[in-house]
Amino acid sequence: MTGRRDTAPAIKVWDPLVRVGHWSLVIGIVATWLTHGRWHEWLGYAVLGVVTLRIVWGLIGSRYARFGQFVRSPAATLNYSKKVLKYKEPRHIGHNPLGGWMIITMMSTITGVCASGWLYTTERFWGVAWVEELHEGLTNFLIVLVVLHVSGVIISSMRHHENLVAAMFHGRKRAPASHDVI
């Protein structure tokens, strides 16, 4: 990193609800993977509650929390992806287009995991093989998404000389330069 980037002013990007919600999901999902029975069920409900709150916040929340700020069209996302492959992607203050779609995909998958888990606890679907298989399949898909998400965070952090994990704790990122996308 250059000294200029290290001393660049920081701006507030991730509000407390986004940050607490993010880390609550991390803890909640890991905890559900490690538990069974009642704990597993209640943690699943808590995770679903966090996702529901995040969806609401994505509609009415702060600037960088809103879906309209970071969910881009398929064409814009494909264009960004091509730039990533060429190592020429622009830095984004909020989520980049791939990150935006990762959020949508992860929240949808988490919702599916929670819904299928709940179905499995009902009298009608208790012991029904396809519901259990759906729950397990979505859980496995979520693991793949988590690995891709963490990989994307590491790659973006390295390419843009910015610790995105730290930013998700304190909420600040380096102020945009004239060539940055906001």
Side-chain angles (χ1 to χ4, degrees):
M1 278 194 282
T2 66
R4 184 169 183 267
R5 286 184 177 164
D6 290 340
T7 59
I11 60 170
K12 196 71 160 174
V13 177
W14 311 124
D15 64 58
L17 196 142
V18 168
R19 297 187 330 262
V20 170
H22 177 271
W23 295 113
S24 295
L25 281 176
V26 171
I27 292 165
I29 289 168
V30 169
T32 59
W33 285 335
L34 299 175
T35 58
H36 300 284
R38 273 285 178 225
W39 277 105
H40 182 83
E41 289 178 38
W42 286 106
L43 287 164
Y45 294 137
V47 165
L48 183 59
V50 173
V51 169
T52 302
L53 181 59
R54 181 60 181 96
I55 290 169
V56 170
W57 199 239
L59 298 172
I60 66 169
S62 62
R63 177 182 181 183
Y64 293 105
R66 291 186 187 175
F67 299 130
Q69 194 277 329
F70 63 81
V71 177
R72 307 296 163 87
S73 70
T77 305
L78 180 61
N79 184 44
Y80 179 81
S81 300
K82 289 176 183 176
K83 290 178 181 178
V84 168
L85 293 174
K86 294 177 183 177
Y87 294 82
K88 294 182 179 190
E89 75 278 7
R91 175 177 171 258
H92 287 252
I93 300 304
H95 290 93
N96 66 51
L98 289 173
W101 281 106
M102 178 57 78
I103 290 169
I104 299 302
T105 305
M106 289 179 80
M107 287 194 317
S108 299
T109 303
I110 292 167
T111 300
V113 169
C114 293
S116 60
W118 169 77
L119 272 178
Y120 201 67
T121 67
T122 64
E123 188 174 314
R124 180 172 182 179
F125 292 102
W126 175 255
V128 175
W130 72 264
V131 176
E132 182 178 13
E133 290 168 8
L134 177 63
H135 187 67
E136 289 177 10
L138 287 171
T139 299
N140 291 334
F141 182 58
L142 181 58
I143 293 169
V144 171
L145 292 175
V146 167
V147 169
L148 289 172
H149 174 64
V150 170
S151 299
V153 167
I154 292 168
I155 291 167
S156 288
S157 292
M158 290 174 23
R159 287 192 184 176
H160 299 294
H161 307 285
E162 185 163 54
N163 187 336
L164 294 178
V165 175
M168 193 50 78
F169 278 106
H170 54 63
R172 295 177 308 278
K173 291 179 76 175
R174 188 176 69 249
S178 61
H179 62 278
D180 283 332
V181 175
I182 297 178

